[in-house]
């Protein structure tokens, strides 16, 4: 399903990001969900390397992406947006109340119990790479992540998805685990490795990723001094 500039649903995204972030920016989570439910959406691009327009902070108080709007709501935070979309379509959230709430619980677990720990490693490996303090801290962070991945692996077991069928809980958890792609930490846990690969193999994910990367490729900064 192509991006449709005339669609009433709109998501904000960045025009370009460095390679380490390409395919990880959080608008991808919303693009993926919209592809799963076959809903056309438009994209409004922002410059990641410059300050946001002042009026954007009325949409997203922290100046991040994505912000989201449709005919019903205007939202920020990828988790809240996914819950909104899931409540509208059973392809993202089951109708059964228990299964629905457990799926939402997994989404929150991805954001609260897994992602912050992974971001500490990203801060060490990417944003503070080579600094002396990281040499001592990194092994401690790795150990904590491995322990957390073990618990997630035990919860998943031999199931295909966390609650037996694909939901926004899986969409978020797979998206979060992809932040470790610069390491072998997920690959070292076979059922989590296959879990992430199953998510990435979904046609909706592939379409969403291709659309995000196409924008980055089209807006690749030219080397300094090269003619436009």
């Amino acid at each position: 399903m192509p991006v449709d500039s005339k669609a009433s649903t709109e998501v904000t995204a960045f025009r370009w990001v460095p390679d380490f972030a390409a395919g990880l920016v959080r608008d991808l989570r919303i693009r993926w969900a919209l592809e799963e439910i076959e809903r056309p959406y438009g994209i409004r691009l922002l410059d990641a390397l410059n300050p946001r327009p002042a009026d954007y902070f009325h949409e997203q108080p922290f100046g991040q992406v994505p912000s989201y709007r449709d005919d019903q709501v205007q939202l920020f935070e990828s988790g809240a947006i996914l819950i909104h979309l899931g409540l509208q379509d059973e392809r993202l959230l089951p109708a059964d109340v228990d299964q629905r709430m457990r799926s939402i619980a997994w989404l929150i677990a991805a954001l609260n119990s897994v992602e912050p720990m992974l971001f500490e490693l990203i801060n060490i490996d990417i944003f503070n790479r080579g600094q002396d303090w990281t040499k001592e801290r990194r092994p401690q962070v790795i150990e904590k992540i491995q322990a957390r991945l073990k618990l997630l692996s035990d919860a998943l077991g031999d199931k295909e998805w966390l609650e037996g069928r694909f939901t926004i809980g899986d969409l978020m958890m797979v998206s979060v685990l992809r932040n470790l792609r610069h390491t072998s930490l997920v690959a070292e846990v076979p059922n989590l490795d296959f879990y992430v690969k199953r998510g990435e193999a979904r046609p909706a994910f592939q379409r969403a990723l291709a659309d995000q990367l196409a924008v980055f490729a089209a807006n690749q900064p030219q080397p300094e001094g090269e003619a436009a």
Side-chain angles (χ1 to χ4, degrees):
M1 178 186 64
V3 174
D4 182 355
S5 61
K6 298 179 181 179
S8 60
T9 295
E10 181 187 77
V11 180
T12 60
F14 287 138
R15 183 171 287 105
W16 178 83
V17 295
D19 287 346
F20 73 82
L24 297 177
V25 186
R26 292 182 181 186
D27 63 283
L28 181 60
R29 303 171 183 184
I30 312 308
R31 291 175 185 260
W32 182 2
L34 291 167
E35 291 284 356
E36 291 281 355
I37 61 176
E38 303 173 283
R39 179 183 296 183
Y41 63 98
I43 291 292
R44 177 157 48 102
L45 297 177
L46 300 169
D47 190 339
L49 304 181
N50 288 313
R52 309 292 176 266
D55 60 355
Y56 185 63
F57 290 88
H58 295 293
E59 300 178 43
Q60 219 296 353
F62 306 102
Q64 301 167 322
V65 299
S67 70
Y68 169 94
R69 67 178 64 178
D70 60 25
D71 293 332
Q72 293 182 313
V73 300
Q74 180 172 312
L75 288 172
F76 63 98
E77 292 294 335
S78 59
I81 299 165
L82 289 181
I83 292 171
H84 168 66
L85 294 174
L87 292 174
Q88 295 180 327
D89 198 302
E90 289 185 29
R91 285 173 287 186
L92 295 176
L93 273 179
D96 177 81
V97 174
D98 179 60
Q99 293 177 350
R100 171 173 288 195
M101 295 311 300
R102 284 187 60 83
S103 299
I104 292 173
W106 278 115
L107 178 147
I108 294 171
L111 292 173
N112 283 2
S113 299
V114 179
E115 191 168 47
M117 196 173 292
L118 309 192
F119 275 175
E120 185 173 1
L121 183 63
I122 292 168
N123 188 45
I124 289 171
D125 288 351
I126 296 175
F127 297 109
N128 291 280
R129 185 176 181 180
Q131 294 192 26
D132 289 342
W133 67 268
T134 65
K135 296 176 183 178
E136 180 178 354
R137 180 60 180 160
R138 191 176 192 275
Q140 299 169 352
V141 173
I142 291 290
E143 185 177 354
K144 289 181 178 180
I145 291 174
Q146 288 173 326
R148 187 55 49 94
L149 293 180
K150 172 63 166 59
L151 294 173
L152 179 59
S153 171
D154 290 346
L156 178 63
D158 59 2
K159 300 190 298 292
E160 189 174 25
W161 306 110
L162 289 164
E163 287 299 313
R165 53 147 288 187
F166 181 80
T167 73
I168 57 171
D170 299 295
L171 191 157
M172 185 63 82
M173 190 66 76
V174 168
S175 298
V176 165
L177 293 175
R178 293 185 71 249
N179 285 296
L180 290 174
R181 68 183 185 180
H182 71 290
T183 76
S184 62
L185 288 169
V186 172
E188 292 167 3
V189 187
N191 68 335
L192 293 185
D193 188 37
F194 292 136
Y195 174 65
V196 171
K197 288 176 179 175
R198 275 194 297 275
E200 293 177 326
R202 292 179 73 86
F205 174 85
Q206 290 293 318
R207 292 192 296 269
L209 179 64
D211 283 338
Q212 187 188 72
L213 296 181
V215 171
F216 298 155
N219 292 282
Q220 178 80 25
Q222 294 192 352
E224 192 172 324
E226 186 173 310

